[in-house]
Amino acid sequence: MAEELGKPTRKGFSEKDQGQEMIHSSTSVRTVETLLRVAPMGLCVAALVVMLKNSQINDFGALSYSDLGAFKYLVYANAICAAYSLLSAFYTAVPRPSTLSRSWTMFFFDQVLTYLTLAAGAVSSEILYLAYNGDENVTWSRECNVFDTFCSKATTSVGITFGAVACYILLSLISSYRLFSSYEAPIPFLANKGTEIAVFPR
């Protein structure tokens, strides 16, 4: 009789502990995600500032980032990245119930920012490769032999941009897991047969 009376009490404590553990886990994940969103903001601002100040004048002429479309695109992409990172960090830091529409919104914009910054870094890397190595087929000389300081700063900016890309790859994994883990099989007998169909939960 005493054992039966004790079971509900132990079960009650267990459920309470599980609830506290889930809250603690959710808070930890939110903190990590917020920090991951703050990190690319700093990286994008740093890459933006380095590229904006990138120009060189010597006996062979003058060269600025604005002379190359790829580097101008890198500046714009980093500006958008920094702004979105700041807004999304504030959005993530505030506790709020998770809904499908919010999950879709974060997933969509995280994907857009990932590909935006990745494209900017890739295009700029191609320009730097040509500047360092040249291309005899199109008579592109090795400009970095002449504008070494310019190329050094551009390389730094591109490297920092890829750091931001790495952060957004992790954020994309987090937002995609949060979104697609909410899917359920709509028809029980299909689930029993091993058929997986993703649908929106009601």
Side-chain angles (χ1 to χ4, degrees), residues 182-195:
S182 63
Y183 286 160
E184 296 178 357
I187 305 176
F189 79 86
L190 288 179
N192 294 333
K193 290 184 178 181
T195 304

Side-chain angles (χ1 to χ4, degrees), residues 80-176:
I80 296 172
C81 168
Y84 173 73
S85 298
L86 178 62
L87 293 175
S88 63
F90 277 117
Y91 181 84
T92 306
V94 179
R96 54 170 57 86
S98 178
T99 62
L100 189 63
S101 60
R102 288 172 180 168
S103 297
W104 264 113
T105 300
M106 297 301 294
F107 170 76
F108 174 77
F109 284 108
D110 284 350
Q111 294 292 318
V112 170
L113 264 294
T114 300
Y115 288 112
L116 179 70
T117 52
L118 178 61
V123 172
S124 298
S125 296
E126 182 180 4
I127 295 299
L128 282 174
Y129 176 83
L130 292 174
Y132 275 108
N133 300 286
D135 190 342
E136 296 180 357
N137 295 328
V138 293
T139 64
W140 189 303
S141 60
R142 298 180 180 181
E143 296 296 332
C144 287
N145 292 340
V146 179
F147 299 98
D148 54 341
T149 302
F150 177 86
C151 290
S152 178
K153 289 184 177 181
T155 302
T156 300
S157 180
V158 173
I160 296 173
T161 300
F162 277 116
V165 171
C167 291
Y168 266 103
I169 289 175
L170 293 176
L171 288 170
S172 294
L173 291 175
I174 294 173
S175 59
S176 61

